[in-house]
Amino acid sequence: MNEHPLLNKLRQIKLIDRLGELGKSSDRPIAEQWERTGVRFAASEGKLEQVYYRALRRLLDCIVPTGGDKPILHEGGIYLGCWLESTGTINAELLSRFLPGVSEATYLTFARHQREDGMLPYKVTENGPAYRQIQLVSPLARSVWNHYSLHGRDRVFLAEMYGAMARYDRWLAEHRNTRETGCVEAFSTFDTGHDLSPRFWHVPDTPHEGDSKRCDPNSPILPFLAPDLTANVYCQRLYLARMAEELGESGEEWREKAAESLNALFRFCFDEADHFFYDRDRHDRLVKIQSDVLLRVMACEVGDREFFDESLRRYLLNTRKFFAKYPFTSMAMDDPRFDPFSSYNSWAGPSNFLSLIRAPHAFEHHHRHVELTWAMQPILSSFAKATRFAQAVSPWTGEEGFTEAYSPSILCLLDYVERLSGILPRPDGELWFTGLTPYAMDHGEEAAGETAYARTVDGVRYELLNLRGGSELYRDGMPHLAFPSGVRVIAGRFGQPIGVIGMSVRTVEGTLRWEGREFPFAVKGNQLLRFSDGKFESERDIGLIYPTYE
């Protein structure tokens, strides 16, 4: 049987060769851990394949021992350490699919540096842990739960992390609820990592006298009731409930606390007319600055699909607001304070990679798979011309911005390639085989052309070819599935098809070929067809939310 040239190319890739000479002695075991995942990417055209392996090489530079024997993930670039808002949560959550040992060590680093009073460090560097501020964005408990679910359900690990997070929840309730509203309060800019954002103009960057328990008593506007911090704790508590039950305890108290957080969030921080979340200052006024706070709150599983859809229409897919040519901006573009420049560390306008790696959970939680691709495609086009891995991109041109070798940027590339054109293992046990390719968004230049992707799951080697004529999946070297372009096949852990999702604005018609039989289907964008007893039946059909302009 003659194999497709792209499949042959994929099979011939040797990771060690692609990475070149390994500069640090710690690199080789990390590279070998990657080898065990079997992850490979190949493309027929463009520069994306070359950029992909350059990114992987720079990722190794971000993994170093820090305050312990095992290497952990660092933020990268000028950020020499591991930050809870990013490196210790969403970054490690993505890395878990590729280097689970590094992710687990990263999570445990925060737990093992917990202060006696229950506070977790906001960062850990070679100089030790730091506690000056809280700096919370992505929920740690969700990241920990997903890692636990993906990798063998280690209860010893889960119990240690659960205990640490429960103690931290008590610390936040005691020290960041001074106004007794049930919201989590921001005492400074850095509490949310929103450097230079107009949201925090005339607010100190750090808590009073460097003490995370103290708010500047002379501030005319602090403390803020912060929607993103409150949503973080809401989502934390939902996942702490799951953990409690997994460990044989009741999760009911955590769910009650989560409901209290959600009620406080909507009571104090939500403006119904604007359909937006704002800080509330000490004078009980809403701080009406539209920033990526909305996307942060949505990524914390706040609201139902109807609520999220309205957020898409009015903001996230609105080209006046956050849906720039290279989305998502950190400030609404129609705000006169919007600053698009990405040449410095700024949350005043540019599209930050931390926003881009937080976005998929918000979209996929509400089954908005097609809409997410409209953000991923231009970013992958931007990567295809990148020479370094910056903290942000210009929302106008896609040019890389401040710093380089920044791990959220690197992980964004790895994640988007796998979500759009690869094989993605899910915490719920599903496998996603997605039949899309990076599209030529910039000047008609191909980013990748046809693609091939490989991953080993539970000892089984899968290889996915995304060709112009359709997609082909191989299992341990043998043809396993074939399906038309523009869909995602959902499979069980052993590769058996259990559903199809439409990943295009068009209705995709064709057949799924499996075990020598053909199963016809037609699927609309975002529609889920469930495959059972040799036939497809519609389980969910929510339609599409299209971009808006005013």
Side-chain angles (χ1 to χ4, degrees), residues 42-62:
S44 64
E45 301 177 54
K47 299 178 181 178
L48 193 62
E49 179 186 331
Q50 176 185 351
V51 174
Y52 182 94
Y53 289 101
R54 190 163 69 243
L56 180 52
R57 179 65 191 86
R58 299 312 302 268
L59 180 63
L60 298 188
D61 295 335
C62 299

Side-chain angles (χ1 to χ4, degrees), residues 81-343:
C82 183
W83 269 254
L84 183 60
E85 68 149 324
S86 49
T87 339
T89 49
I90 186 61
N91 297 12
E93 183 174 338
L94 299 186
L95 186 68
S96 180
R97 301 204 307 265
F98 305 99
L99 296 171
V102 176
S103 290
E104 184 163 311
T106 304
Y107 296 136
L108 289 170
T109 291
F110 285 94
R112 291 172 181 176
H113 283 101
Q114 187 167 39
R115 212 163 57 184
E116 287 186 5
D117 66 355
M119 187 183 181
L120 292 176
Y122 79 90
K123 71 174 180 180
V124 178
T125 71
E126 62 180 6
N127 297 319
Y131 306 92
R132 183 182 60 185
Q133 64 241 18
I134 57 175
Q135 205 154 337
L136 300 177
V137 183
S138 294
L140 174 61
R142 188 194 77 202
S143 299
V144 166
W145 178 261
N146 287 343
H147 174 84
Y148 169 80
S149 300
L150 272 171
H151 300 294
R153 304 180 83 88
D154 180 352
R155 292 194 174 211
V156 174
F157 162 76
L158 187 70
E160 182 170 355
M161 293 304 303
Y162 171 77
M165 290 183 290
R167 290 188 290 273
Y168 192 36
D169 183 88
R170 290 194 292 271
W171 187 95
L172 289 168
E174 182 177 354
H175 299 291
R176 288 305 184 103
N177 185 28
T178 64
R179 294 165 61 179
E180 297 184 350
T181 63
C183 292
V184 182
E185 295 164 356
F187 291 175
S188 69
T189 304
F190 290 170
D191 280 335
T192 68
H194 254 148
D195 305 50
L196 297 186
S197 172
R199 173 189 183 189
F200 287 110
W201 280 359
H202 310 295
V203 165
D205 280 344
T206 61
H208 189 54
E209 297 182 348
D211 185 347
S212 56
K213 299 178 183 178
R214 300 181 65 192
C215 185
D216 180 7
N218 299 309
S219 171
I221 52 179
L222 291 178
F224 284 173
L225 307 181
D228 44 353
L229 298 180
T230 305
N232 175 287
V233 168
Y234 160 71
C235 193
Q236 278 279 120
R237 289 171 166 178
L238 290 181
Y239 281 86
L240 286 170
R242 295 188 189 187
M243 293 179 187
E245 291 170 348
E246 184 78 359
L247 296 169
E249 303 176 12
S250 172
E252 189 57 33
E253 184 178 353
W254 285 118
R255 290 193 178 87
E256 290 174 359
K257 289 182 176 181
E260 292 170 2
S261 293
L262 187 64
N263 290 337
L265 174 67
F266 276 93
R267 179 181 176 187
F268 294 103
C269 298
F270 184 63
D271 184 284
E272 191 168 349
D274 289 357
H275 194 85
F276 209 91
F277 294 94
Y278 300 110
D279 298 297
R280 190 175 288 273
D281 74 7
R282 66 183 296 175
H283 306 290
D284 211 32
R285 302 172 304 182
L286 291 176
V287 183
K288 287 208 166 187
I289 294 173
Q290 294 179 349
S291 72
D292 72 303
V293 159
L294 177 65
L295 186 54
R296 293 178 173 200
V297 171
M298 293 295 94
C300 288
E301 304 180 10
V302 170
D304 58 15
R305 186 171 64 239
E306 183 179 352
F307 187 91
F308 183 66
D309 289 352
E310 186 65 13
S311 299
L312 291 179
R313 293 185 188 96
R314 295 178 66 168
Y315 296 103
L316 297 176
L317 296 182
N318 186 332
T319 62
R320 275 185 180 268
K321 297 292 185 179
F322 298 96
F323 200 48
K325 178 174 172 59
Y326 300 88
F328 298 96
T329 57
S330 49
M331 279 279 294
M333 290 177 281
D334 61 355
D335 190 308
R337 293 159 289 199
F338 174 78
D339 174 12
F341 291 101
S342 56
S343 55

Side-chain angles (χ1 to χ4, degrees), residues 406-445:
Y406 185 61
S407 66
S409 170
I410 295 167
L411 289 163
C412 183
L413 171 58
L414 302 182
D415 180 59
Y416 279 20
V417 165
E418 186 158 275
R419 285 184 193 279
L420 194 81
S421 307
I423 301 162
L424 193 154
R426 299 276 297 165
D428 60 8
E430 292 179 350
L431 295 177
W432 286 0
F433 305 116
T434 306
L436 297 174
T437 56
Y439 193 78
M441 299 291 290
D442 291 346
H443 308 288
E445 295 182 11

